[in-house]
């Protein structure tokens, strides 16, 4: 793959809108507010320190007690020791199943030590390492969560929408939590006269990426709807904001702020922190993408093909060179169809894969670790979904990893959801 010096293929998706670059956080050229100076009110996501007043303009943003609770930037999770990669083995441990009471499972965030957070409907439920519910994260009135993500280091990021403003607009917010403690609150209000709804969120140590749906009403003069990508640092200071086309692509972000997109079924694109396309690589596999995850050196993609079959592909983070190519349907007999359900890159290299397999008389689930050279180590799980076509039933399968090397899988079983830690 050749590094592109022009971002024309990406800019063609921008619908004529202009990106905003606030330079590196903390640099002398940064356009972000420090909280002491007056905040710009047009085109920039701005922030303010805890206890300060939010910008009155609908095109500004604030990070303070504006969301209804005091914040404390000094709150940080404990340091995480790197994993002992030589001692990590794939050894699934079934944890307690739990029943979904309301809403659809929308996201899973894993933290060091095996603790996890789940977004189901509008409830954010925190689980202990044993898979048992521990706490429910109570957001303030007027905050409606739509996505969660973890950086694997113990920080939980929550994105969602605010109540309708007096002007009739809906704006977004992002928060950083450590456990139950609120560390930072930022309100996304960059577009005047539009509804801004965060639809997906990705996090890595040092950076987060929020994909927001921007929808104009009939009185806006015919402005087209689009999706906007906001990249922020872990203190929720804006680094860069730019439109990202009409359809929200599946995306992930790494610890350098590079964002990876699956905007089309057969193309993976890396977008640098400066807005330049670094590379694009064609995915030589059919089907629907179900997972995109970035690790220390590779970007991993899982695709599902029809009612059975699928593939795993990985690409070099730096230049997009294809690395791993695993076709699941080619590894099993015709009497059993294996399908990828969820995948997460592992901090020790490779990726953890949750897959289903079905034959004429039964279904099963397996966990695998796929190494950087494509070697696959698979462990069947000692239980199976209680209903046919569970993968196509509209519920979600998730796999997640933390910086300490722990991994977690979550999938539906009858009316419950089953945890597997490994």
């Amino acid at each position: 793959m050749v590094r592109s010096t022009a971002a024309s293929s990406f800019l063609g998706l921008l619908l004529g809108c202009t990106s905003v670059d606030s330079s590196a956080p903390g640099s002398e050229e940064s356009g972000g507010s420090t909280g002491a100076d007056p905040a710009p009110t047009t085109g920039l996501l701005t922030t303010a320190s805890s206890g300060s007043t939010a910008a009155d303009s609908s095109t500004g943003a604030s990070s303070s007690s504006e969301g209804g609770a005091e914040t404390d930037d000094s709150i940080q999770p404990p340091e995480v020791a790197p994993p002992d990669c030589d001692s990590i083995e794939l050894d699934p441990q079934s944890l307690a199943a739990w029943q979904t009471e309301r809403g659809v499972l929308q996201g899973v965030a894993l933290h060091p030590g095996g603790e996890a957070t789940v977004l189901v409907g509008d409830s954010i439920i925190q689980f202990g390492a044993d898979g048992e519910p521990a706490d429910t994260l109570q957001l303030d009135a007027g905050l409606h969560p739509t996505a969660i993500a973890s950086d694997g280091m113990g920080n939980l990021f929550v994105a969602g929408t605010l109540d309708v403003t007096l002007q009739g607009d809906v704006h977004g917010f992002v928060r950083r939590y450590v456990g139950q403690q609120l560390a930072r609150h930022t309100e996304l209000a960059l577009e005047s006269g539009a509804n801004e709804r965060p639809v997906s969120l990705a996090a890595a140590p040092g950076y987060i990426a929020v994909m927001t749906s921007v929808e104009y009403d009939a009185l806006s003069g015919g402005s087209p709807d689009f999706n906007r990508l906001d990249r922020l640092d872990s203190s929720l200071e804006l680094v860069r904001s730019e439109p990202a086309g009409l359809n929200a692509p599946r995306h992930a972000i790494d610890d350098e702020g590079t964002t990876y997109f699956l905007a089309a079924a057969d193309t993976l694109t890396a977008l640098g922190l400066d807005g330049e396309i670094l590379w694009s690589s064609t995915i030589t596999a059919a089907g629907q993408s179900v997972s995109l995850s970035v690790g220390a050196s590779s970007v991993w993609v899982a695709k599902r093909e029809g009612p059975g079959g699928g593939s795993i592909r990985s690409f070099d983070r730096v230049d997009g060179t294809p690395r791993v190519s695993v076709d699941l349907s080619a590894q099993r007999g015709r009497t059993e169809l294996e399908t990828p359900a969820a995948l997460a890159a592992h901090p020790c290299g490779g990726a953890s894969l949750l897959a289903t397999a079905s034959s004429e008389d039964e279904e099963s689930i397996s966990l695998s670790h796929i190494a950087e050279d494509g070697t696959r180590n698979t462990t069947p799980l000692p239980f199976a979904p209680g209903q046919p076509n569970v993968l196509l039933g509209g519920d979600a399968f998730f796999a997640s990893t933390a910086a300490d090397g722990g991994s977690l899988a979550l999938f539906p079983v009858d009316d419950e959801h089953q945890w597997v830690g490994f």
Side-chain angles (χ1 to χ4, degrees):
M1 297 300 105
V2 178
R3 179 181 293 268
S4 171
T5 58
S8 58
S9 60
F10 181 78
L11 295 177
L13 299 174
L14 304 192
L15 304 177
C17 298
T18 303
S19 64
V20 174
D21 185 0
S22 62
S23 301
S27 69
E28 294 181 358
E29 297 178 357
S30 174
S33 169
T34 63
D37 299 326
T41 57
T42 304
L44 284 174
L45 175 100
T46 60
T47 58
S49 59
S50 178
S52 64
T53 303
D56 293 332
S57 169
S58 64
T59 55
S62 67
S63 180
S64 66
S65 60
E66 183 70 14
E70 291 295 331
T71 65
D72 184 354
D73 267 345
S74 66
I75 298 173
Q76 298 292 335
E79 291 188 8
V80 180
D84 181 0
C85 296
D86 293 334
S87 65
I88 290 180
E89 297 180 0
L90 184 68
D91 185 20
Q93 301 292 323
S94 176
L95 304 178
W98 61 284
Q99 186 171 3
T100 302
E101 297 181 356
R102 59 186 182 278
V104 176
L105 190 63
Q106 299 182 75
V108 172
L110 180 64
H111 312 292
E115 297 179 338
T117 304
V118 172
L119 174 61
V120 54
D122 58 358
S123 297
I124 302 174
I125 307 170
Q126 296 176 322
F127 289 81
D130 58 359
E132 293 285 355
D135 296 291
T136 298
L137 188 63
Q138 301 291 340
L139 299 187
D140 305 290
L143 302 182
H144 312 284
T146 59
I148 63 172
S150 169
D151 61 2
M153 306 292 289
N155 291 299
L156 172 69
F157 298 95
V158 179
T161 59
L162 304 163
D163 281 341
V164 178
T165 68
L166 294 177
Q167 292 77 27
D169 299 332
V170 174
H171 294 307
F173 73 88
V174 183
R175 284 186 161 194
R176 180 174 72 88
Y177 285 90
V178 178
Q180 292 274 316
Q181 296 179 292
L182 174 61
R184 193 74 165 171
H185 172 94
T186 291
E187 296 180 6
L188 305 177
L190 280 70
E191 315 292 336
S192 178
N195 294 326
E196 300 166 84
R197 296 184 173 91
V199 294
S200 59
L201 178 63
Y207 294 98
I208 67 169
V210 186
M211 189 66 67
T212 296
S213 172
V214 179
E215 304 165 354
Y216 288 91
D217 58 34
L219 301 179
S220 63
S223 298
D225 298 341
F226 67 99
N227 288 284
R228 188 185 69 236
L229 173 68
D230 299 321
R231 281 179 282 184
L232 303 90
D233 65 17
S234 56
S235 296
L236 305 189
E237 298 282 352
L238 179 72
V239 179
R240 187 174 179 90
S241 179
E242 53 208 326
L246 183 59
N247 298 314
R250 191 180 296 276
H251 73 285
I253 193 168
D254 65 21
D255 55 4
E256 296 179 351
T258 301
T259 305
Y260 304 87
F261 292 96
L262 277 171
D266 60 352
T267 303
L268 176 64
T269 299
L271 184 68
L273 199 55
D274 59 359
E276 176 189 357
I277 286 185
L278 304 181
W279 53 262
S280 290
S281 190
T282 300
I283 301 175
T284 56
Q288 174 188 2
S289 300
V290 294
S291 293
L292 171 63
S293 185
V294 57
S297 61
S298 299
V299 186
W300 293 81
V301 179
K303 301 190 76 174
R304 179 177 67 228
E305 185 176 0
S311 61
I312 309 299
R313 299 286 187 270
S314 77
F315 304 84
D316 187 276
R317 251 178 63 169
V318 175
D319 59 12
T321 301
R323 286 184 167 180
V324 171
S325 176
V326 177
D327 293 310
L328 301 184
S329 55
Q331 294 188 349
R332 311 295 285 262
R334 292 186 177 182
T335 60
E336 188 175 40
L337 297 176
E338 190 176 25
T339 307
L343 175 144
H346 197 277
C348 290
S352 300
L353 170 68
L354 176 66
T356 65
S358 61
S359 61
E360 293 181 357
D361 55 356
E362 66 178 357
E363 291 191 34
S364 63
I365 289 181
S366 66
L367 281 169
S368 299
H369 179 266
I370 300 178
E372 293 287 345
D373 63 0
T375 304
R376 185 182 179 194
N377 176 23
T378 301
T379 301
L381 299 184
F383 35 74
Q387 55 189 9
N389 300 323
V390 65
L391 186 62
L392 306 179
D395 213 336
F397 288 67
F398 289 93
S400 182
T401 59
D404 62 357
S407 294
L408 187 73
L410 179 62
F411 54 90
V413 180
D414 293 331
D415 294 329
E416 296 183 323
H417 287 85
Q418 178 69 56
W419 292 104
V420 177
F422 59 103

